[in-house]
Amino acid sequence: MDAYQRRHPWAGLPLAVVYKFLDDQGTYLTAIITYYGFVSLFPLLLLLVTGLGFALQGNPGLQRQVLDSALAQFPVIGDQIGANIHSLHGNVLALATGVVGSLYGGLGVVQAAQNALNKVWGVPRDSRPNPVAARVRSLTLLAVGGVVLLATTLLSAVTASAGVFGAGVRAGATVSAVAVNVVLFTVVFRMLTARPLTIAQVRTGAIAAALVWQVLQWAGAFLLGHMLKGATATYGMFGIVLGLLTWIYLAAITFVAGAEINVVRARRLWPRSLLTPFTDNVELTAGDRRAYTSYAETERHKGFENVDVDFDPPPRDDAD
């Protein structure tokens, strides 16, 4: 099996991506993004609803349509979220407080994504942006991502309206939504990584992530329409929390896995030895050596610190 996956890229490349994800503790990187995403989502939706209330004060129908388009990004629990989000009413200070809280939560998500990408790409700690520069970069991406997300939510509204626009328009809207998401993932992968990357280096992971995200949208819509009818009344707020956490976690896994695909391809971190996660008694491949060397170099904290990596021969059994 080991020899076969080394000879065939269709088997060796996915295995290397999985091993890289595990080596980088991808589940923990994903959990951090999920936490900040969960904390920030309700304040951001609150800000969206309040902004719609001010901008479209005389058109409540259009307000509802735009909000429903945004909630379509969470097809399993979007209706439940919408029932619990209402516009902020009060003085300017209350609105300003909501804006500040929303920006703080949104920056947490982008900061977590930035840390994950730098970890995945093996950027040494001394080469990463300082705390101020990192937050400025995150704020810029948050603004860009908000514009792109608005475009995808509008396309989602068209996609969900097959009876109004027809199947052809719906298919076109789906393709356009995937294309916009490819652009968004490409921009995120490049902007949040503290090393220069070309479009070719991040293209494959961006396409894969956009396609997986679209499949998740369809799967969520199927669950909502065929398997989870009546679940909202049964599980209530408990179902909202679990559904929201699950949905954000799947989105975070999609994001991190897309980045891992880019790194494995760009840095030739494959093929990997099949047994490396289980024992030291293996002959490392060139991909293994490059991967383990990058893990050590990532932990360099100062520019005047030198990190050298070498490998001893693997231990051999007495019987050998």
Side-chain angles (χ1 to χ4, degrees):
M1 292 176 60
D2 190 16
Y4 181 86
Q5 64 91 17
R6 294 191 192 194
R7 293 194 306 268
H8 297 82
W10 69 267
L13 184 60
L15 180 70
V17 171
V18 172
Y19 281 9
K20 181 73 164 55
F21 183 88
L22 296 176
D23 291 341
D24 289 332
Q25 294 184 308
T27 53
Y28 293 101
L29 298 177
T30 302
I32 295 172
I33 297 174
T34 302
Y35 167 76
Y36 281 108
F38 180 78
V39 169
S40 66
L41 181 62
F42 277 95
L44 288 173
L45 286 175
L46 183 65
L47 180 61
L48 173 63
V49 174
T50 303
L52 290 174
F54 279 98
L56 303 175
Q57 189 171 6
N59 196 335
L62 185 56
Q63 292 181 40
R64 188 72 248 176
Q65 185 177 359
V66 175
L67 181 61
D68 289 343
S69 299
L71 294 176
Q73 299 294 324
F74 308 92
V76 177
I77 35 79
D79 292 339
Q80 302 175 60
I81 297 175
N84 290 274
I85 290 291
H86 304 285
S87 178
L88 267 177
H89 298 284
N91 55 31
V92 177
L93 179 60
L95 180 59
T97 303
V99 171
V100 172
S102 300
L103 288 176
Y104 177 81
L107 283 177
V109 178
V110 185
Q111 285 290 104
Q114 191 172 169
N115 174 73
L117 288 176
N118 287 328
K119 173 72 173 178
V120 167
W121 278 97
V123 179
R125 291 177 177 269
D126 67 292
S127 298
R128 302 179 188 181
N130 62 61
V132 175
R135 281 161 178 78
V136 170
R137 179 179 295 191
S138 296
L139 186 61
T140 302
L141 185 66
L142 192 62
V144 174
V147 174
V148 176
L149 185 60
L150 180 60
T152 57
T153 54
L154 294 176
L155 288 170
S156 296
V158 175
T159 303
S161 304
V164 178
F165 296 102
V169 176
R170 184 182 182 184
T174 300
V175 173
S176 299
V178 172
V180 171
N181 283 326
V182 169
V183 173
L184 177 60
F185 280 115
T186 301
V187 171
V188 170
F189 287 153
R190 295 188 67 190
M191 283 188 61
L192 292 188
T193 305
R195 66 171 40 177
L197 298 174
T198 65
I199 293 179
Q201 288 177 310
V202 301
R203 180 178 55 212
T204 302
I207 294 174
L211 291 175
V212 171
W213 178 247
Q214 188 61 45
V215 171
L216 289 176
Q217 294 286 312
W218 287 335
F222 175 79
L223 289 174
L224 181 63
H226 297 83
M227 299 177 63
L228 297 179
K229 289 182 178 180
T232 58
T234 303
Y235 299 108
M237 186 58 68
F238 185 69
I240 295 179
V241 173
L242 288 182
L244 189 57
L245 282 172
T246 301
W247 199 251
I248 297 175
Y249 187 73
L250 290 174
I253 285 183
T254 300
F255 173 78
V256 175
E260 297 284 14
I261 292 172
N262 292 331
V263 177
V264 171
R265 291 184 71 256
R267 305 187 69 177
R268 295 288 300 178
L269 301 183
W270 63 281
R272 300 287 297 270
S273 176
L274 187 63
L275 296 180
T276 48
F278 310 102
T279 178
D280 284 346
N281 190 19
V282 292
E283 293 286 347
L284 297 180
T285 66
D288 287 323
R289 293 174 180 269
R290 284 191 289 266
Y292 291 130
T293 299
S294 70
Y295 302 154
E297 293 174 345
T298 302
E299 298 304 317
R300 190 182 71 212
H301 285 254
K302 293 296 181 182
F304 50 80
E305 178 183 5
N306 296 316
V307 177
D308 297 317
V309 180
D310 55 34
F311 299 90
D312 293 331
R316 302 188 66 84
D317 295 334
D318 294 338
D320 295 337

